[in-house]
Amino acid sequence: MRLAQIILAAGLVGLAAPATAQVRSGNPNAANDSFSRQSESRGVQQDITTQNNTTRMDIQRSQTAPQAPPPGGGVAVPRR
């Protein structure tokens, strides 16, 4: 799923050319269409960044979290 999002984001980045380059006299909505694609691209990129940051944070937490004791107690207490 992540790979698909990265590929989608890469494809959308290519579509997000400057609006002035896409304005044609025959299509008065070309600038709005370009801005829309740029917005979608930024949204996908932000989602990917958020997911990467969340994953990185989870990994860091799991590395710094105290390890659980082994099953069965793990500590032998001498009897008196």
Side-chain angles (χ1 to χ4, degrees):
M1 169 114 165
R2 265 180 133 166
L3 181 59
Q5 289 176 333
I6 291 170
I7 292 170
L8 177 63
L12 289 175
V13 169
L15 295 174
T20 55
Q22 295 185 15
V23 175
R24 297 183 190 112
S25 60
N27 185 0
N29 291 324
N32 290 338
D33 294 341
S34 177
F35 291 139
S36 175
R37 285 191 297 271
Q38 289 176 4
S39 176
E40 290 173 14
S41 175
R42 282 192 301 271
V44 170
Q45 289 173 339
Q46 187 175 11
D47 288 344
I48 291 170
T49 300
T50 300
Q51 289 176 356
N52 288 342
N53 290 344
T54 301
T55 302
R56 189 175 299 118
M57 204 167 27
D58 289 342
I59 291 170
Q60 289 174 349
R61 284 182 185 151
S62 69
Q63 289 174 349
T64 59
Q67 298 297 321
V75 177
V77 178
R79 295 184 181 198
R80 293 185 186 191

